[in-house]
């Protein structure tokens, strides 16, 4: 009897201890284990990171790393960690944190208005794990260019400005390959046919759209400007586009940060394949990344008989158009007189 009583007492004690331990364990698992003031924070786990790296990365946001580690071990996280972008919200417990570290959150990656492929690489590299150098190398890869019939001058045409959902840990090559798929999706049969109606390939249409984009920020005016340039191309005239000369100046000096508001006569004679005063036809590549409205303007241009245009002094941001050189010279003199009066030197 005495032995049975002892066994009963011991059993009760053990069960009580297990219950207490269970409550403690549950408390550790499901108690708030964050220590940041914001409502939410993103943490980034790099490719090839190990468990120790992960603990260091999340340490600034986790109140008790030992508690997290206990739960992570029980959930086999150290053996199954993966790189990516993860969203921590204030008040998460250790269980929630481990679950969250298994849900890679995509980035809404956006880019537009990039002047060169180098600028694009920097812009994208600021939003995903791949750095600008690896991205630039992948964009200029000779095999990629040859397979897709691009070259280093015109590869910027591949990238259609938009917002794309993509994982933060996407490699440079996978990003590039996704972009070529998006390029082919954009250049569907209908758009390719429209470009052909204008006597252009998709790449040529993009190059012309980049000029239209730089000529005017007014979206409602872009189809008219596209119509003027297409008229010049059909007539075999030089495009005589100031933005191409500005690009040539920047490219020659390798200084794309300079601001050029005025093009002088001497600039028009510089030797460059991008100088459309000295060369007929299109330059070898885009002078910027055209947005969708500029691309659509080239594909759906205004039908007009204008050959010339210059900036308007009466409607700032817009242009004055002319069908004859005499009419254009009047408009150009009016603009020249105004810009001189403003003291704009460059």
């Amino acid at each position: 009897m005495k032995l049975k009583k002892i066994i009963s007492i011991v059993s009760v004690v053990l069960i009580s201890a297990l219950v207490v331990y269970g409550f403690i364990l549950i408390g550790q698992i499901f108690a708030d284990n964050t220590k940041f003031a914001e409502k939410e924070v993103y943490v980034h786990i790099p490719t090839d990171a190990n468990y120790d790296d992960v603990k260091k990365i999340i340490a600034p946001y986790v109140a008790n790393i030992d508690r997290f580690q206990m739960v992570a071990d029980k959930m086999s996280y150290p053996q199954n960690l993966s790189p990516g972008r993860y969203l921590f919200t204030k008040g998460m417990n250790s269980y929630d944190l481990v679950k969250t570290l298994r849900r890679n959150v995509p980035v809404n990656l956006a880019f537009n208005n990039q002047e060169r492929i180098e600028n694009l690489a920097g812009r994208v590299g600021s939003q995903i794990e791949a750095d600008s150098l690896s991205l630039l190398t992948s964009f200029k890869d000779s095999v990629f260019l040859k397979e897709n019939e691009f070259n280093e001058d015109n590869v910027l045409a591949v990238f259609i400005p938009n917002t794309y959902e993509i994982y933060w840990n996407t490699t440079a090559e996978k990003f590039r390959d996704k972009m070529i798929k998006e390029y082919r999706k954009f250049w569907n049969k209908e758009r390719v046919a429209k470009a052909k109606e204008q006597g252009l390939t998709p790449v040529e249409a993009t190059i012309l759209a980049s000029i239209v984009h730089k000529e005017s920020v007014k979206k409602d005016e872009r189809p008219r400007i596209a119509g003027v340039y297409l008229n010049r191309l059909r007539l075999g005239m030089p495009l005589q586009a100031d933005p191409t000369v500005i690009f040539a100046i920047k490219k020659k000096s390798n200084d794309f940060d300079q601001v050029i508001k005025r093009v002088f006569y001497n600039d028009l004679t510089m030797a460059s394949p991008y100088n459309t005063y000295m060369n007929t036809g299109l330059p070898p590549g885009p002078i910027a990344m055209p947005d969708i409205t500029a691309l659509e303007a080239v594909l759906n241009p205004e039908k007009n008989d204008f050959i010339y245009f210059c900036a308007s002094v009466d409607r700032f941001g817009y242009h004055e158009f002319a069908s004859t050189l005499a009419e254009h010279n009047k408009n150009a003199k009016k603009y020249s007189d105004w810009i001189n009066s403003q003291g704009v030197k460059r």
Side-chain angles (χ1 to χ4, degrees):
M1 290 291 294
K2 213 171 195 181
L3 182 59
K4 285 185 179 179
K5 190 173 182 180
I6 292 171
I7 292 173
S8 296
I9 293 171
V10 170
S11 297
V12 170
V13 171
L14 285 173
I15 290 170
S16 299
L18 287 171
V19 169
V20 171
Y21 176 75
F23 276 116
I24 293 172
L25 185 61
I26 290 171
Q28 288 181 332
I29 293 172
F30 295 105
D32 177 357
N33 198 17
T34 60
K35 63 175 181 181
F36 48 87
E38 301 87 350
K39 288 184 178 180
E40 55 185 38
V41 295
Y42 285 99
V43 296
H44 299 84
I45 308 302
T47 301
D48 299 328
N50 58 36
Y51 187 39
D52 287 335
D53 296 328
V54 172
K55 287 188 289 183
K56 289 176 184 176
I57 291 166
I58 68 171
Y61 313 108
V62 176
N64 189 317
I65 200 70
D66 291 333
R67 193 192 306 166
F68 166 85
Q69 187 169 342
M70 180 194 71
V71 176
D73 288 341
K74 291 185 180 300
M75 295 175 69
S76 302
Y77 173 72
Q79 295 79 35
N80 298 284
L81 63 85
S82 59
R85 175 178 180 255
Y86 302 97
L87 179 62
F88 285 3
T89 57
K90 187 176 178 62
M92 275 186 165
N93 56 53
S94 297
Y95 177 74
D96 293 331
L97 291 171
V98 175
K99 278 204 312 179
T100 292
L101 286 168
R102 288 175 169 159
R103 291 196 296 263
N104 196 355
V105 180
V107 174
N108 288 321
L109 186 150
F111 56 81
N112 59 12
N113 293 330
Q114 305 304 304
E115 200 164 26
R116 300 175 301 153
I117 197 68
E118 289 82 0
N119 299 114
L120 174 65
R123 173 69 177 146
V124 174
S126 69
Q127 298 177 74
I128 63 174
E129 182 180 20
D131 62 27
S132 59
L133 181 58
S134 63
L135 286 161
L136 186 60
T137 300
S138 72
F139 299 163
K140 292 186 174 184
D141 177 67
S142 59
V143 175
F144 167 77
L145 294 175
K146 185 175 181 181
E147 285 179 349
N148 293 285
E149 300 181 329
F150 288 93
N151 56 52
E152 289 193 17
D153 288 324
N154 63 28
V155 68
L156 188 63
V158 169
F159 303 91
I160 308 297
N162 211 331
T163 300
Y164 300 96
E165 187 174 89
I166 193 167
Y167 287 110
W168 173 79
N169 54 306
T170 299
T171 65
E173 290 74 18
K174 285 185 178 179
F175 171 77
R176 176 201 65 195
D177 294 344
K178 177 178 174 62
M179 290 300 99
I180 195 70
K181 288 179 183 177
E182 294 291 340
Y183 170 84
R184 291 178 183 135
K185 190 188 299 182
F186 179 84
W187 285 105
N188 53 30
K189 289 182 179 179
E190 182 183 358
R191 287 196 175 102
V192 170
K194 284 186 174 183
K196 191 174 182 180
E197 285 178 21
Q198 309 307 326
L200 304 169
T201 66
V203 171
E204 290 170 337
T206 303
I207 293 171
L208 183 56
S210 74
I211 300 173
V212 172
H213 178 100
K214 280 292 190 179
E215 282 285 12
S216 180
V217 298
K218 304 296 185 182
K219 296 176 181 179
D220 59 329
E221 189 185 54
R222 285 175 172 174
R224 175 167 290 188
I225 292 174
V228 173
Y229 281 132
L230 287 165
N231 288 342
R232 291 180 184 177
L233 286 173
R234 293 188 188 105
L235 292 170
M237 289 177 58
L239 290 181
Q240 296 184 333
D242 286 0
T244 66
V245 178
I246 292 171
F247 184 87
I249 294 169
K250 291 181 176 182
K251 187 173 178 64
K252 184 176 181 180
S253 63
N254 196 31
D255 178 8
F256 282 84
D257 294 326
Q258 61 182 304
V259 177
I260 300 174
K261 295 182 178 180
R262 190 172 187 180
V263 173
F264 293 102
Y265 179 77
N266 288 342
D267 298 326
L268 307 183
T269 61
M270 74 177 296
S272 169
Y274 288 91
N275 183 354
T276 56
Y277 280 83
M278 296 294 290
N279 305 290
T280 56
L282 295 164
I287 60 169
M289 177 183 288
D291 65 21
I292 303 297
T293 63
L295 286 163
E296 293 293 352
V298 170
L299 299 179
N300 303 280
E302 179 185 276
K303 304 296 183 183
N304 59 57
D305 61 357
F306 296 129
I307 302 296
Y308 308 99
F309 66 96
C310 74
S312 174
V313 299
D314 299 316
R315 299 178 305 141
F316 287 107
Y318 285 92
H319 294 79
E320 302 295 342
F321 295 82
S323 301
T324 66
L325 183 59
E327 186 181 0
H328 171 66
N329 285 340
K330 289 181 182 178
N331 294 333
K333 185 178 186 306
K334 188 175 181 180
Y335 176 73
S336 179
D337 290 343
W338 177 82
I339 201 169
N340 285 333
S341 71
Q342 301 301 303
V344 176
K345 301 297 182 184
R346 191 40 145 171

